[in-house]
Amino acid sequence: MNFNLNVIQALVRKDLLGLLPLIGISLLIFLIVPAIASMDLSAIGGDQEFWALLPENIYWLGYFVGLFLVISALQLDPADSLDHDWLTRPIVRRDWMLAKLVLLTLVFLLPVFISRVITGVSIGMGPGVAIYFAAGIERFDATVLASVLVMMGLLAPNLRKLIILMISVFFVFLLPGWSVTRPLLAAIGIPLGGDYDSLMWVQGMLIVIASIIGFSLIFWFQYCRRQRRAAYAVFWTTIAIIFLSVYTPESLYNWDRAVALNASLINTDNVELEDQVFLDQAMACFPAAIVDAENHSEQESNMLVQARWSQAALSDAGPGAISFATPIRYQERLIDWISPTTEERERGIKWRFNRIHSEAWLSSAGLDETVELRRSFAAENRYAPISATKTDHWLLEGETLNKLGPDQQVSLTIAYDGVLLSPTPYELAVDGVRRRFPELGYCKAELDSGANEINVECLKRGVQPDLVSAEFIGMESSRVDSNFRANLTNNFVESLKRQRYELTLPHASIADNPSVIVTAYNAERMLNKQLTMPGLLGDKPSICPLPNSDASNIERPSSWSDKSPHEISFVSVERGVRLEVLDWRQEIKPDAKTLFLLPGLGATAHSYDDVAIRLAQKYNVVGMTRRGTGDSSKPDRGYEIERLAQDVLQVMDALELPSAILLGHSFGGEELSYLGANHPDRVEGLIYADAAYDRVSLNDGESLKRFRELDIQLPEIPPVRPSEAISYESLKAYAQRLGRSRNIPEGELIASYDLSTGQVKHDRLYLDALMRGIVAPDYRSISVPALALYAVPGSPDALLEAWYNQDDPGLHLILDELFQMERARKLEQIERFESELKGSKAVILEDADHWIFLSNEEEVLQAIDEFIDEL
């Protein structure tokens, strides 16, 4: 194939001269656009919303200028002129097309590339990084409009006809929009499919393919065959295909076909992944409300507000319709590991399940067929499909509810189509230096001390990860994601794409680590997970009654109260940080010892409310709730063990306690070991209530990996039922259902749990911060007497909870292995405690609960008395 370079050169020169003013303006805009897009304009006065949106949308200015330049270049040589122009005609069509491509490369592609490189260098990118990132396509979602306008440029010989074409397409294609097109097509019997979210790349590919074919055929008919009518026929056929790709009839493309197509591309031979995601109810009974009831409780009103039902949906549902929410929690059972250079132990990164689509239906003997429920597409939390708990809102028509009747056996099934994402984690130093990672491109992390946040930026060209996240090392709850859902676009489609990922980690001072973890997630398998429950609202009507029945009108009376005889006060330990202090000293016993109580992780001093009453009969008893928990302050700093220990000493100073016997449960052993080793003058003795452990070694190594792999497979504790949460007395039924001899104290339940839902109140971020601050205990430096009480399982049956499936052989195998590991780990810790801490005493209480002073109160009190008597 021979090209006439003289003709190509002449055409390019002619077009450059003819478009010189437009080219000059375009070059200026191409230089300005990336510069503005990279600026932080928040400091400029005036309309802050405008300045915030400008960098995000300035791209479209360059986009439309570039399109106008392309169309203008095409219209300089309409089809007729190729045979009649006096300067270079007639010419071969391939020479003409190559000339236009050369022109567009010189005046459009090259200037954009150079301006991107210059802007990248000016904002701190290295030249190599700037060149790497500049050579990528910015926005694939703009290809639809670009393809349509370029086809118009081929067809229309002048601006007037171009405008006519644009108006025609606008009224046929763009103007109706989704809200108008859907009801119009439904009225003529053509229901549309849904909004396919992260699966919409399939429709985008159809549009791109149709546009390329349409462009080629239009060029052939218009320029090569001089068949204008055929060219217009191709154009409108292409527009029709694009229209059907966007507004796809359900008979052609629906959720089942979309999921099946993506599953065929993603799923390989990894069938074992099917069982690695487990669904469970986050609430025993789902909250519900009669939509048209005259009065609603506060909970019902809040739920209806969150559901955001449209008037059309409520009208279709009819009188007596019920709206209900279904909080369902995901449990992913796979973990990958990373070994940060800044720490001596590995950290686990869990795989994640991303919900793509959900549906629900009812089955009943009183119904001829299953009833599909209507889901709210406008609910407040619709943009949180990756969260550990997913809540959907459903609408059940009043007529269907009447058919069911009060005594019908109904089952509710919720089904999720989703994708299981595997993590590839990287450690990224917070020093502003860009580092290249295979899955993420060039990444950097910088500390903004003024805003107390860490800003992470990754520049990736080519195939993109499906999701990107950043988190503080060892603090999963700090994780932030690049998007609210995974992007499942096929890798081939993304091969020319470029993407900037920007993530902000708030509360930077809480971590105090020179590195963060940045993770690229990629789809491993499409999954369909289903959960079937008896009854409409999560359980049988006798347990979870419908809102129109008398039993559903149970109100939680004010019988919940902290009845423990303590005085509550707050002690300031530093600026802006106040700690809750409980004092059970009705009167100070001058000859008695003072016990200072420290709770476990995620618990407050109220956890001692019951046992403290008995201790206070002999001793002066006080307790403290550490920072980050309960009613104590939750600052973004001070979670290292040195600061926690200082908090204890300052509270002791405020209470005028020169010294005390420290009693710590679980995590409280961290403060005990540090204070015993570093402040023996303030410590008369140490009492560890299942707390004397080296949590650094316990949370590291292959044994930890195996332990977590097994533990994550155990069934979650069942949530509390509404009838069980009416009062502390009624909660005894919950304890019996769990196989517990007693509940934790009433004051602790009030302090740590939402009594209406049973969910923990504490912010996991601060609990993670506390765990990050643990250090190995220095038992050899402790010179004060110490007593350690250990809860050690005596057999695998000790780990068999009442809600487990007793007949599951696989579960028993897991429990057998966990028992061997748990017992060996604890016995090893006991041996180390007794050998390294001279004069110490360890007491093993076999088959005791971790809340050892609740499950074995008498033995614990006896051991404490004997220990104190010997001081």
Side-chain angles (χ1 to χ4, degrees):
M1 182 181 294
N2 296 320
F3 293 97
N4 191 327
L5 297 181
N6 291 329
V7 171
I8 294 172
Q9 183 179 1
L11 276 173
V12 171
R13 187 187 310 115
K14 174 182 73 68
D15 289 347
L16 285 172
L17 293 174
L19 297 174
L20 191 58
L22 178 60
I23 292 172
I25 296 173
S26 301
L27 291 176
L28 181 62
I29 291 175
F30 294 154
L31 184 62
I32 291 175
V33 164
I36 295 179
S38 63
M39 290 182 179
D40 180 10
L41 305 178
S42 58
I44 300 178
D47 189 344
Q48 290 299 309
E49 185 176 353
F50 170 79
W51 293 118
L53 291 175
L54 182 60
E56 299 177 10
N57 296 282
I58 192 65
Y59 160 82
W60 292 102
L61 176 61
Y63 172 78
F64 283 113
V65 168
L67 280 180
F68 187 63
L69 187 60
V70 171
I71 293 171
S72 299
L74 294 176
Q75 290 190 338
L76 279 178
D77 297 286
D80 292 342
S81 74
L82 293 183
D83 290 326
H84 297 90
D85 191 284
W86 62 270
L87 181 62
T88 60
R89 307 312 189 261
I91 63 173
V92 180
R93 271 62 177 173
R94 65 172 180 268
D95 291 342
W96 176 84
M97 179 61 74
L98 184 58
K100 298 300 178 183
L101 292 176
V102 171
L103 174 71
L104 295 178
T105 300
L106 291 174
V107 302
F108 182 24
L109 299 180
L110 191 58
V112 169
F113 175 79
I114 293 173
S115 67
R116 286 179 175 180
V117 172
I118 294 173
T119 302
V121 172
S122 67
I123 62 173
M125 295 185 193
V129 178
I131 293 172
Y132 161 87
F133 191 57
I137 297 177
E138 183 81 26
R139 300 280 294 269
F140 274 101
D141 54 357
T143 56
V144 177
L145 183 58
S147 60
V148 172
L149 290 176
V150 170
M151 284 190 293
M152 290 181 187
L154 281 177
L155 277 176
N158 53 54
L159 184 59
R160 179 178 63 84
K161 291 188 177 182
L162 176 65
I163 293 175
I164 293 174
L165 270 179
M166 291 178 63
I167 293 175
S168 301
V169 173
F170 179 79
F171 277 101
V172 171
F173 179 59
L174 297 177
L175 183 60
W178 185 256
S179 60
V180 177
T181 303
R182 175 181 284 271
L184 286 177
L185 294 180
I188 60 176
I190 307 177
L192 297 181
D195 179 0
Y196 299 106
D197 295 340
S198 53
L199 306 184
M200 289 189 72
W201 71 269
V202 178
Q203 295 157 279
M205 276 299 296
L206 289 175
I207 293 172
V208 172
I209 293 171
S211 301
I212 293 173
I213 295 174
F215 178 88
S216 301
L217 290 175
I218 290 172
F219 175 74
W220 172 258
F221 286 120
Q222 180 83 338
Y223 283 83
C224 300
R225 309 298 294 176
R226 309 298 297 274
Q227 297 177 7
R228 184 177 296 275
R229 290 184 179 179
Y232 271 94
V234 170
F235 174 76
W236 286 110
T237 300
T238 305
I239 293 297
I241 294 174
I242 293 175
F243 183 89
L244 290 175
S245 298
V246 176
Y247 306 112
T248 312
E250 198 172 45
S251 59
L252 296 178
Y253 194 64
N254 50 46
W255 269 111
D256 290 339
R257 291 179 180 175
V259 170
L261 175 60
N262 281 269
S264 67
L265 297 173
I266 295 174
N267 295 357
T268 54
D269 297 329
N270 48 6
V271 182
E272 68 280 358
L273 297 179
E274 290 285 343
D275 298 326
Q276 299 305 319
V277 176
F278 180 76
L279 304 183
D280 196 12
Q281 294 175 231
M283 296 178 65
C285 296
F286 300 138
I290 301 175
V291 175
D292 55 1
E294 293 184 3
N295 297 304
H296 293 117
S297 67
E298 181 179 356
Q299 183 187 37
E300 291 175 338
S301 298
N302 291 337
M303 188 201 65
L304 290 174
V305 169
Q306 293 170 0
R308 293 180 176 176
W309 293 110
S310 66
Q311 287 301 317
L314 297 179
S315 177
D316 292 343
I322 287 182
S323 173
F324 64 99
T326 54
I328 302 296
R329 59 192 175 195
Y330 311 148
Q331 181 69 34
E332 301 92 343
R333 293 176 172 175
L334 291 175
I335 304 173
D336 283 359
W337 298 86
I338 182 174
S339 300
T341 59
T342 55
E343 298 193 354
E344 297 180 356
R345 51 180 167 161
E346 293 181 286
R347 295 291 186 176
I349 305 293
K350 292 178 64 175
W351 290 42
R352 300 174 69 183
F353 180 67
N354 176 203
R355 179 197 61 83
I356 298 172
H357 175 61
S358 58
E359 56 185 349
W361 60 87
L362 294 177
S363 303
S364 171
L367 298 172
D368 297 332
E369 58 185 9
T370 59
V371 176
E372 291 190 12
L373 299 177
R374 185 167 190 164
R375 175 175 168 262
S376 172
F377 292 97
E380 283 187 2
N381 69 331
R382 65 191 183 280
Y383 293 133
I386 311 179
S387 57
T389 301
K390 170 62 184 171
T391 301
D392 285 307
H393 292 264
W394 309 94
L395 194 59
L396 177 62
E397 295 180 358
E399 182 180 351
T400 303
L401 186 62
N402 292 332
K403 289 181 181 179
L404 293 173
D407 301 322
Q408 291 288 345
Q409 296 297 318
V410 182
S411 64
L412 169 67
T413 300
I414 299 177
Y416 292 126
D417 288 309
V419 61
L420 186 60
L421 304 171
S422 65
T424 304
Y426 302 96
E427 182 183 5
L428 178 62
V430 185
D431 56 8
V433 177
R434 293 190 187 274
R435 292 170 173 84
R436 182 174 172 80
F437 302 122
E439 296 281 344
L440 291 169
Y442 289 91
C443 296
K444 69 171 182 177
E446 293 181 299
L447 172 65
D448 184 344
S449 55
N452 193 28
E453 61 189 24
I454 292 175
N455 297 310
V456 177
E457 179 188 69
C458 290
L459 308 175
K460 181 68 167 71
R461 192 191 70 196
V463 176
Q464 303 292 316
D466 295 324
L467 185 73
V468 177
S469 75
E471 61 190 85
F472 296 125
I473 296 177
M475 298 178 63
E476 181 182 339
S477 57
S478 68
R479 184 177 58 212
V480 294
D481 295 321
S482 58
N483 202 355
F484 56 86
R485 65 170 63 91
N487 171 31
L488 301 182
T489 303
N490 186 265
N491 290 346
F492 172 76
V493 179
E494 291 186 323
S495 57
L496 298 178
K497 185 180 180 181
R498 74 172 196 160
Q499 181 75 39
R500 182 194 303 267
Y501 299 95
E502 295 178 302
L503 304 102
T504 298
L505 287 168
H507 313 289
S509 59
I510 203 171
D512 190 26
N513 194 296
S515 300
V516 297
I517 292 178
V518 185
T519 305
Y521 290 90
N522 288 292
E524 292 295 334
R525 189 169 182 85
M526 297 280 291
L527 303 176
N528 178 271
K529 308 301 294 184
Q530 296 186 10
L531 182 64
T532 299
M533 296 144 284
L536 173 62
L537 300 180
D539 212 326
K540 297 175 292 187
S542 59
I543 297 174
C544 300
L546 298 177
N548 63 341
S549 61
D550 294 337
S552 69
N553 295 324
I554 296 174
E555 294 291 339
R556 290 171 176 77
S558 57
S559 58
W560 285 97
S561 63
D562 182 0
K563 302 178 181 65
S564 188
H566 50 53
E567 179 182 336
I568 301 177
S569 61
F570 289 87
V571 172
S572 178
V573 293
E574 61 177 322
R575 184 176 181 181
V577 181
R578 299 166 68 243
L579 304 182
E580 180 189 43
V581 176
L582 306 185
D583 192 339
W584 283 272
R585 298 176 298 178
Q586 301 297 320
E587 58 180 18
I588 297 178
K589 304 176 181 64
D591 297 328
K593 297 289 186 180
T594 296
L595 278 174
F596 194 101
L597 311 181
L598 292 166
L601 185 71
T604 72
H606 294 276
S607 59
Y608 292 104
D609 273 357
D610 293 347
V611 73
I613 296 175
R614 296 189 62 181
L615 290 171
Q617 295 173 3
K618 294 183 178 181
Y619 313 109
N620 298 307
V621 181
V622 294
M624 182 195 88
T625 299
R626 69 177 58 84
R627 64 175 64 203
T629 313
D631 289 333
S632 291
S633 298
K634 300 168 182 63
D636 287 343
R637 62 190 183 281
Y639 294 92
E640 63 280 357
I641 188 60
E642 295 84 359
R643 180 63 251 186
L644 297 178
Q646 188 62 33
D647 288 347
V648 174
L649 297 177
Q650 288 183 242
V651 170
M652 289 176 63
D653 291 340
L655 298 176
E656 298 181 351
L657 299 176
S659 63
I661 300 171
L662 303 183
L663 191 160
H665 172 234
S666 189
F667 184 87
E670 297 297 312
E671 287 115 327
L672 264 65
S673 296
Y674 186 86
L675 288 166
N678 295 277
H679 300 277
D681 55 316
R682 304 296 301 272
V683 180
E684 298 177 33
L686 302 173
I687 302 175
Y688 296 85
D690 206 26
Y693 298 104
D694 178 0
R695 290 175 178 80
V696 175
S697 63
L698 283 177
N699 289 283
D700 191 25
E702 294 300 320
S703 62
L704 169 68
K705 294 181 183 179
R706 182 57 181 164
F707 187 88
R708 286 191 63 179
E709 290 171 0
L710 294 171
D711 186 66
I712 205 170
Q713 298 182 53
L714 298 179
E716 292 276 356
I717 185 171
V720 64
R721 295 168 178 169
S723 60
E724 297 168 338
I726 298 172
S727 65
Y728 190 63
E729 185 66 24
S730 67
L731 199 66
K732 290 180 179 178
Y734 182 56
Q736 293 173 357
R737 187 157 62 94
L738 299 184
R740 303 278 196 263
S741 60
R742 61 191 290 186
N743 282 309
I744 61 176
E746 187 172 7
E748 177 62 16
L749 288 170
I750 296 171
S752 296
Y753 294 88
D754 181 342
L755 300 177
S756 64
T757 65
Q759 303 300 308
V760 176
K761 287 182 181 179
H762 306 309
D763 190 333
R764 187 71 209 180
L765 177 69
Y766 301 106
L767 304 187
D768 284 349
L770 289 166
M771 282 300 296
R772 276 205 79 255
I774 61 174
V775 297
D778 185 7
Y779 290 139
R780 288 188 172 87
S781 297
I782 298 176
S783 58
V784 300
L787 167 68
L789 305 168
Y790 287 93
V792 180
S795 70
D797 289 342
L799 305 179
L800 185 62
E801 300 287 2
W803 62 88
Y804 292 176
N805 182 358
Q806 314 286 319
D807 301 323
D808 183 355
L811 179 65
H812 282 281
L813 290 176
I814 292 174
L815 294 178
D816 288 346
E817 187 172 352
L818 281 173
F819 163 71
Q820 298 294 338
M821 295 179 67
E822 179 78 359
R823 185 172 179 86
R825 279 154 45 112
K826 289 200 169 186
L827 292 178
E828 180 183 344
Q829 292 286 318
I830 294 170
E831 181 182 356
R832 176 182 171 187
F833 174 81
E834 290 184 314
S835 63
E836 295 184 6
L837 206 164
K838 302 303 180 183
S840 63
K841 180 181 180 181
V843 177
I844 297 176
L845 299 178
E846 285 210 349
D847 296 339
D849 190 80
H850 178 55
W851 289 75
I852 196 168
F853 53 87
L854 296 181
S855 65
N856 297 66
E857 181 176 313
E858 296 300 329
E859 294 96 320
V860 169
L861 289 175
Q862 180 180 348
I864 291 174
D865 288 342
E866 293 175 357
F867 173 73
I868 294 178
D869 288 343
E870 294 175 1
L871 293 178

